[in-house]
Amino acid sequence: MTFNRTDYPANQAPFGIVAADMDGDGDQDLVVANSQRDPSSVNPDTGNQISVLRNNGNGTFTAPVSLTTGIGPSVRAGDLDGDGDIDLVTANSTDDTVSILRNDGRGNFAAPVNFVTGDRPSGSFEYQTPSISNFIKIS
């Protein structure tokens, strides 16, 4: 099998990526965390967006759709509310929050709900039940 390189725009300073079926069509879509990371800056993480690139079904992707999160996001995907579609959660290391973006089942996301955490959440999580309180493990 041979892969050819294709570059896709994903906003400012893509930092992390997750693949999951966001729109229920069976194809793996891409979600990119845009931390706008600049280690030379006094405040290295200033980005507050993630980009969703839907799979066209043939291995190519749409232009990115940007969604607002907290500052310095890392992104994970999972069914947070038990409705069968993939939601998004970001750990926002600069403003010490977690953002939850619920999916409507067609790949459209509600405005983020932000929760204050401890210092610099890292973005790891584990699934136990479809309830948010048991889903996210901030480390």
Side-chain angles (χ1 to χ4, degrees):
M1 180 178 279
T2 303
F3 290 95
N4 294 317
R5 176 181 168 161
T6 303
D7 295 331
Y8 293 92
N11 221 326
Q12 294 292 318
F15 182 68
I17 190 168
V18 65
D21 184 8
M22 296 291 145
D23 52 12
D25 64 0
D27 299 320
Q28 296 292 296
D29 305 302
L30 301 176
V31 182
V32 180
N34 302 303
S35 68
Q36 208 165 356
R37 190 172 289 264
D38 179 2
S40 66
S41 172
V42 173
N43 185 6
D45 299 322
T46 58
N48 69 332
Q49 293 185 336
I50 56 176
S51 299
V52 177
L53 293 84
R54 291 188 185 173
N55 190 321
N56 290 319
N58 61 3
T60 64
F61 296 88
T62 63
V65 174
S66 295
L67 305 170
T68 300
T69 66
I71 300 172
S74 59
V75 65
R76 301 290 187 269
D79 183 5
L80 295 174
D81 51 14
D83 63 359
D85 54 48
I86 304 298
D87 306 300
L88 298 172
V89 61
T90 63
N92 310 307
S93 62
T94 301
D95 65 1
D96 302 331
T97 63
V98 168
S99 299
I100 295 177
L101 297 93
R102 289 200 166 103
N103 188 340
D104 70 358
R106 296 176 306 216
N108 303 307
F109 293 87
V113 177
N114 297 312
F115 298 92
V116 176
T117 65
D119 191 37
R120 298 186 69 78
S122 70
S124 64
F125 67 93
E126 61 189 24
Y127 182 82
Q128 293 175 359
T129 68
S131 105
I132 292 171
S133 63
N134 292 323
F135 187 86
I136 301 169
K137 176 184 172 186
I138 302 301
S139 37

